[in-house]
Amino acid sequence: MTNVLATNLTALNVAAVPFAIRAEKSSDIAARERLLDACFGEGRHARTCQRLRDGRAPAEGLAFSAVRQGRLVGTVRLWHVDAGGRAALVLGPLAVDSSCREFGLGGALMRAALAEAAARGHGAVILLGDAPYYARFGFTADKMADLALPGPFERDRLLGLELRDGALDGAAGLIVATGAAAKPARADRPRLRRAA
Ligand SMILES: CC(C)(COP(=O)(O)OP(=O)(O)OC[C@H]1O[C@@H](n2cnc3c(N)ncnc32)[C@H](O)[C@@H]1OP(=O)(O)O)[C@@H](O)C(=O)NCCC(=O)NCCS
């Protein structure tokens, strides 16, 4: 009985503390990487979708962080791709800290990201994920049958959402990265010599 009460109070306290969703900052990167390691394990870098992100920057204005009491607790980013001849974005990874799940934060991150992608004129978003979760945002396997990822993937997890009707009509072939090159991390940049 006591345990149930304690659990419920903890849940209420977590729910009562507000979250903010904002554009990702460079100072978020270390915490974002720790969150992704915790959610997906270090093997995440070998996943097929990572091939669409290697060495690329996310699409302009489409990297978001969820922050609670100054701590990063959620992340989502979108990336430019060519999806079998159609311009699109690939979404991922989406992750929420395990202490903050089931309060609508994942949904809030998804809706913020999709609304901003639509506002910026993007036509379609593709992802590899669990259909029972992503169906609530409108993702389906429709128009995905003739698309492939650059590596092994489970066909029933390849999902798409048209932000503009017909944006994925006729999409057929390999999904390939088209985003701009990522800027080198600060520590990797050559130091400028100060003039004497
Ligand atoms: C998936 C994830 C982002 C959801 O975050 P969240 O903040 O808990 O999401 P929300 O609170 O908006 O939604 C919770 C709902 O989604 C459901 N849900 C969560 N993960 C799900 C999944 N994989 N399949 C189906 N439903 C799922 C929950 O059961 C809950 O359902 P309800 O609304 O009927 O109660 C979070 O669980 C997470 O980070 N998981 C680990 C990383 C991951 O799997 N990322 C997605 C890659 S496919």
Side-chain angles (χ1 to χ4, degrees):
M1 191 65 177
T2 313
N3 284 345
V4 171
L5 185 60
T7 304
N8 287 343
L9 285 174
T10 304
L12 282 173
N13 287 339
V14 172
V17 177
F19 301 98
I21 293 177
R22 55 153 175 76
E24 185 182 272
K25 302 177 186 177
S26 55
S27 55
D28 292 339
I29 292 174
R32 180 197 71 205
E33 293 300 298
R34 282 195 298 275
L35 174 60
L36 294 176
D37 284 344
C39 288
F40 299 105
E42 296 198 7
R44 66 189 173 91
H45 298 286
R47 291 179 171 215
T48 292
C49 279
Q50 184 59 34
R51 304 289 76 77
L52 300 173
R53 304 190 283 259
D54 288 338
R56 308 278 174 167
E60 183 73 26
L62 294 175
F64 297 91
S65 297
V67 180
R68 178 173 170 266
Q69 293 183 309
R71 188 167 75 90
L72 185 141
V73 291
T75 176
V76 69
R77 289 174 290 164
L78 291 95
W79 310 79
H80 285 288
V81 293
D82 179 289
R86 303 287 175 268
L89 297 164
V90 159
L91 183 147
L94 167 71
V96 170
D97 186 280
S98 58
S99 68
C100 299
R101 291 185 190 158
E102 308 277 326
F103 299 116
L105 189 49
L109 275 166
M110 285 296 294
R111 282 186 285 276
L114 295 174
E116 185 63 18
R120 287 174 176 263
H122 295 287
V125 179
I126 291 170
L127 57 81
L128 195 66
D130 295 339
Y133 183 66
Y134 290 107
R136 69 195 68 195
F137 310 110
F139 284 85
T140 74
D142 295 353
K143 304 187 187 180
M144 295 291 105
D146 296 327
L147 289 171
L149 290 168
F153 70 100
E154 294 168 69
R155 162 83 35 212
D156 60 348
R157 290 168 57 82
L158 186 61
L159 307 172
L161 169 69
E162 287 184 338
L163 300 174
R164 189 175 58 243
D165 280 350
L168 291 172
D169 283 352
L174 196 60
I175 299 174
V176 294
T178 55
K183 286 189 190 142
R186 191 172 283 255
D188 302 338
R189 285 185 212 153
R191 282 175 192 260
L192 293 177
R193 262 177 212 228
R194 209 178 270 190

